[in-house]
């Protein structure tokens, strides 16, 4: 049984505005005030692990220790079947330019690498999200969510963030960047991980 979250304020240990906005929207009905890491002037710890859960643990524990508040972190990314699961934990790195992140560059790389595998290469991919809630005493709880889909080219849509414009969830004929936010949150890897977190830490 998961440890319950008690209190009215949760620190979301991310500097990513897109993630923070989605988590804030999903938690809105639970009456918890969400505070972002940037608002608390927290440094961004280095993500030195090679798993989503390892990196999520680093971010959540660093924030809980620094603030004395329970801290929720998100480590997420995309795994592409034709590329043996790449970029995975390196999803953000594919967008790094040395002068900010360029997701058009990252999506172009993903498309180019799949195309280089030949015409029969699968276009299937998964968005994955691991959430870790860490308490200042060192305890943590882990929650995961996955959304399966296909990578389309050219990209479509302007909403969302990151790789959303090339990701078409299974059963849809629009990309995540063509969906309204509530619909994406309902089916997304992050929405599913947050639902598991709510079920584990808020109810019963
Ligand atoms: P990290 O968890 O900060 O290491 O980075 C996760 C990477 O995956 C970022 O580059 C995000 O843009 C990308 N990513 C995670 N979730 C989503 C999503 O819901 N839509 C689009 N891109 C995402």
């Amino acid at each position: 049984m998961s440890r319950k979250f008690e209190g009215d304020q949760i620190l979301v240990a991310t500097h990513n505005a897109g993630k923070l906005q989605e988590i804030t929207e999903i938690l809105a009905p639970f009456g918890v005030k969400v505070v972002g890491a940037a608002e608390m002037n927290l440094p961004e710890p280095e993500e030195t692990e090679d798993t989503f859960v390892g990196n999520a643990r680093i971010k959540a524990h660093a924030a809980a220790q620094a603030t004395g508040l329970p801290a929720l972190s998100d480590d997420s990314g995309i795994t592409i079947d034709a590329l043996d699961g790449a970029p995975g934990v390196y999803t953000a790195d594919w967008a790094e330019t040395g002068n900010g992140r360029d997701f058009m560059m990252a999506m172009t790389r993903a498309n180019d690498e799949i195309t280089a595998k030949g015409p029969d290469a699968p276009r299937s991919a998964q968005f994955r999200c691991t959430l870790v809630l860490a308490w200042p005493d060192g305890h943590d709880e882990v929650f995961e969510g996955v959304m399966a889909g296909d990578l389309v080219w050219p990209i479509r849509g302007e909403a969302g963030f990151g790789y959303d414009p090339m990701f078409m969830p299974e059963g849809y004929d629009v990309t995540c960047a063509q969906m309204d936010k509530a619909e994406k949150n309902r089916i997304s890897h992050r929405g599913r991980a947050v639902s598991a977190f709510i079920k584990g830490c808020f109810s019963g």
Side-chain angles (χ1 to χ4, degrees), residues 7-137:
D8 53 9
Q9 183 160 287
I10 193 164
L11 177 71
V12 176
T14 182
H15 287 75
N16 180 316
K19 288 181 183 179
L20 181 63
Q21 194 190 346
E22 285 188 5
I23 293 171
T24 303
E25 283 163 12
I26 301 169
L27 286 179
F30 294 89
V32 183
K33 182 171 184 289
V34 173
V35 187
E39 216 177 307
M40 298 287 280
N41 289 320
L42 294 183
E44 260 185 289
E46 239 192 284
E47 298 180 23
T48 49
E49 296 289 319
D50 60 5
T51 58
F52 291 119
V53 65
N55 287 325
R57 278 206 163 102
I58 289 176
K59 292 186 271 194
H61 285 284
Q65 292 304 315
T67 61
L69 287 173
L72 183 71
S73 69
D74 166 314
D75 202 60
S76 47
I78 195 164
T79 51
I80 302 175
D81 292 333
L83 307 182
D84 301 322
V89 294
Y90 306 107
T91 300
D93 297 344
W94 278 25
E96 223 52 79
T97 65
N99 188 22
R101 288 180 179 171
D102 178 349
F103 282 97
M104 191 60 220
M105 178 182 84
M107 290 187 286
T108 303
R109 175 170 172 186
N111 183 60
D112 287 350
E113 291 201 13
I114 298 169
T115 305
K117 295 280 178 189
D120 295 331
R123 309 282 311 181
S124 51
Q126 301 80 33
F127 266 135
R128 298 181 186 276
C129 174
T130 299
L131 295 177
V132 170
L133 179 64
W135 279 264
D137 69 358

Side-chain angles (χ1 to χ4, degrees), residues 148-171:
D150 283 307
L151 298 180
V152 299
W153 202 260
I155 60 168
R156 303 184 204 164
E158 262 132 47
F161 67 100
Y163 293 67
D164 278 341
M166 77 181 307
F167 192 91
M168 186 178 288
E170 242 169 39

